């Protein structure tokens, strides 16, 4: 019984954290214009295509592939709101997907609300950081060098599952990180 309770408790906590959205973090409702019959002409069709949001790059599952995301494409909650640029910058600087970094931070710190050490939103050892931005940059650099580089000491592939082998070890962690990655992109 003791072996089953902690993983179930952990999973329940993650589900509660993942689905709890405070009023101040709710997204603005966007008005969508209805498609009119003007789509029958080629010119109107081209106009509507131009108004479509840009499509993100095809997701190949590799954490070293560009995410294709911009600051406005990352949908964060709670205390991670405002750190979108730091995640995008870390991807540009170190080549680790911004949505993955944001998902790890969300999972490890309850969307930035809980840290075992000051500004350590990534659950990165016993380190303290001067800011959350410093934490994001440091962890991205460490992941790129040690987890996602073929000659890295913890390398097990460039996927969430590959990082999970040595970063956390629990396959449920990888599944939850992937779910949060989808959430921050949507």
């Amino acid at each position: 019984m003791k072996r089953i309770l902690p993983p179930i408790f952990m999973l329940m906590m993650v589900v509660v954290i993942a689905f709890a959205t405070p009023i101040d973090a709710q997204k603005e409702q966007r008005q969508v214009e209805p498609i009119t019959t003007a789509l029958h002409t080629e010119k109107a069709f081209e106009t509507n295509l131009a108004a479509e949001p840009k499509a993100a790059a095809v997701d190949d599952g590799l954490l070293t592939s560009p995410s294709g995301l911009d600051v406005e494409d990352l949908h964060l909650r709670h205390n991670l709101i405002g750190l979108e640029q730091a995640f995008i910058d870390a991807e540009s600087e170190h080549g680790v997907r911004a949505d993955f970094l944001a998902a790890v931070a969300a999972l490890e710190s309850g969307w930035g609300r809980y840290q075992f050490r000051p500004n350590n939103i990534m659950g990165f050892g016993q380190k303290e950081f001067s800011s959350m931005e410093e934490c994001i940059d440091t962890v991205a650099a460490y992941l790129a060098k040690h987890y996602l580089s073929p000659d890295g000491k913890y390398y097990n592939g460039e996927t969430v599952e590959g990082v999970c082998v040595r970063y956390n070890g629990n396959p449920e962690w990888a599944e939850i990180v992937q779910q949060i990655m989808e959430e921050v992109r949507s």
Side-chain angles (χ1 to χ4, degrees), residues 54-57 65-76 84-85 87-89 91-92 97-102 181-186:
K54 68 176 179 62
S65 294
S67 66
L69 300 173
D70 291 323
V71 170
E72 53 276 346
D73 298 325
L74 282 177
H75 303 285
L76 305 179
E84 294 86 355
Q85 188 65 54
F87 290 114
I88 297 295
D89 291 347
E91 178 177 326
S92 296
R97 289 179 61 122
D99 53 345
F100 170 70
L101 295 170
M181 285 175 70
E182 290 177 23
E183 183 179 332
V184 300
R185 286 191 305 257
S186 60

Side-chain angles (χ1 to χ4, degrees), residues 21-108:
T21 304
I23 293 172
D24 63 314
Q26 291 179 355
K27 299 175 192 170
E28 293 180 19
Q29 295 288 333
R30 295 182 187 173
Q31 295 294 334
V32 179
E33 293 183 27
I35 298 175
T36 63
T37 56
L39 283 177
H40 296 291
T41 66
E42 188 174 316
K43 183 177 181 182
F45 182 69
E46 290 173 8
T47 303
N48 284 331
L49 282 180
E52 297 264 334
K54 68 176 179 62
V58 175
D59 187 1
D60 60 4
L62 299 179
L63 300 178
T64 53
S65 294
S67 66
L69 300 173
D70 291 323
V71 170
E72 53 276 346
D73 298 325
L74 282 177
H75 303 285
L76 305 179
R77 292 197 231 152
H78 304 290
N79 296 350
L80 296 184
I81 294 172
L83 294 172
E84 294 86 355
Q85 188 65 54
F87 290 114
I88 297 295
D89 291 347
E91 178 177 326
S92 296
E93 179 76 22
H94 305 291
V96 181
R97 289 179 61 122
D99 53 345
F100 170 70
L101 295 170
V104 171
L107 177 58
E108 296 292 340

Side-chain angles (χ1 to χ4, degrees), residues 136-150:
I136 294 165
D137 185 66
T138 300
V139 173
Y142 193 86
L143 286 167
K145 180 177 180 180
H146 298 290
Y147 285 84
L148 297 172
S149 175

Side-chain angles (χ1 to χ4, degrees), residues 117-184:
R117 297 278 188 237
N119 297 309
N120 189 341
I121 58 172
M122 306 287 277
F124 191 64
Q126 300 296 318
K127 285 195 61 102
E128 294 181 10
F129 297 96
S130 62
S131 67
M132 291 185 203
E133 291 86 354
E134 179 192 16
C135 176
I136 294 165
D137 185 66
T138 300
V139 173
Y142 193 86
L143 286 167
K145 180 177 180 180
H146 298 290
Y147 285 84
L148 297 172
S149 175
D151 60 345
K153 61 184 173 181
Y154 303 125
Y155 182 77
N156 283 294
E158 299 173 35
T159 63
V160 175
E161 294 84 1
V163 169
C164 178
V165 170
R166 297 291 299 272
Y167 194 88
N168 181 281
N170 183 346
E172 289 176 0
W173 181 90
E175 291 176 29
I176 295 167
V177 167
Q178 288 175 328
Q179 290 171 356
I180 297 172
M181 285 175 70
E182 290 177 23
E183 183 179 332
V184 300

Side-chain angles (χ1 to χ4, degrees), residues 9-19 107 176 179-180:
F9 180 73
M10 183 178 102
L11 183 59
M12 288 173 45
M13 289 298 295
V14 168
V15 169
V16 168
I17 291 169
F19 291 107
L107 177 58
I176 295 167
Q179 290 171 356
I180 297 172

